[in-house]
Amino acid sequence: MATLSAAPRVLGLDRGRWSHVGSGTLTTATAWVLVASVLLALNRFGGLATSEPRSFVRLALVGVWGWLGLSLVAWVVVSFPVGRSRAHPTPRSVLAVVGAAHVPMVGLAATLFLAAGALQLLWPGFVMAVFVLAIWFPASLFRGLQVGCGLSVGRALVATVVSYAAWSAVIGRELQAQLGHLV
């Protein structure tokens, strides 16, 4: 039972981690997104991608554009007046929260980069990528919007589902190519 109670802390879903993110700096969030984007692009093209620099830059920019788009949709959904909501997060705080929610992506990208050969041979890389992209990242996004932006559970859930669905639809092809590269 102690393991289950420690899981939110280990996965970064505890309230303490998110309580200061909404008011934190945007620089840290930007760094998480840039590191995740560059590492995923390196994973896709291997090494420094000297043979395909345009594709490498394009894939790295997809991560940044995805972050900005995900943040924009989340902010629009969160800012939509519903009932007597007291939370009115700024675009900056939503950008910071969504950027901080990319921490699982950095872990995935770093693991795949460091152990790409072993993960491709043994096939757990695909399972790990699906877990991070389908469960951990949306859960982190939900918790960040709820605590970091001061939203109710329902409003944070709606913002997460709508923004994650839009994000998946827009950059889904790139993610599918990335996952296909792991198989």
Side-chain angles (χ1 to χ4, degrees), residues 157-183:
L157 184 62
V158 169
T160 301
V161 169
V162 171
S163 59
Y164 186 76
W167 177 78
S168 297
V170 171
I171 67 166
R173 185 177 71 200
E174 298 295 335
L175 290 176
Q176 186 177 13
Q178 186 68 15
L179 290 176
H181 179 68
L182 297 174
V183 180

Side-chain angles (χ1 to χ4, degrees), residues 25-61:
T25 67
L26 194 54
T27 308
T28 305
T30 305
W32 285 119
V33 172
L34 289 175
V35 168
S37 299
V38 168
L39 281 176
L40 285 172
L42 284 173
N43 284 328
R44 177 72 175 118
F45 295 103
L48 296 177
T50 54
S51 63
E52 300 183 56
R54 290 179 71 190
S55 298
F56 171 79
V57 170
R58 181 177 160 267
L59 187 59
L61 286 176

Side-chain angles (χ1 to χ4, degrees), residues 51-88:
S51 63
E52 300 183 56
R54 290 179 71 190
S55 298
F56 171 79
V57 170
R58 181 177 160 267
L59 187 59
L61 286 176
V62 163
V64 175
W65 292 328
W67 166 53
L68 294 173
L70 181 65
S71 299
L72 176 67
V73 172
W75 179 72
V76 167
V77 171
V78 165
S79 297
F80 194 80
V82 178
R84 299 181 186 205
S85 178
R86 294 180 307 237
H88 296 289

Side-chain angles (χ1 to χ4, degrees), residues 105-123:
M105 297 266 205
V106 173
L108 171 67
T111 303
L112 293 177
F113 185 69
L114 295 175
L119 291 174
Q120 285 177 354
L121 290 176
L122 302 174
W123 209 67

Side-chain angles (χ1 to χ4, degrees), residues 130-153:
V130 168
F131 170 74
V132 168
L133 292 172
I135 297 170
W136 193 2
F137 179 59
S140 187
L141 180 63
F142 166 76
R143 191 58 155 177
L145 287 172
Q146 180 196 10
V147 177
C149 293
L151 301 176
S152 67
V153 171

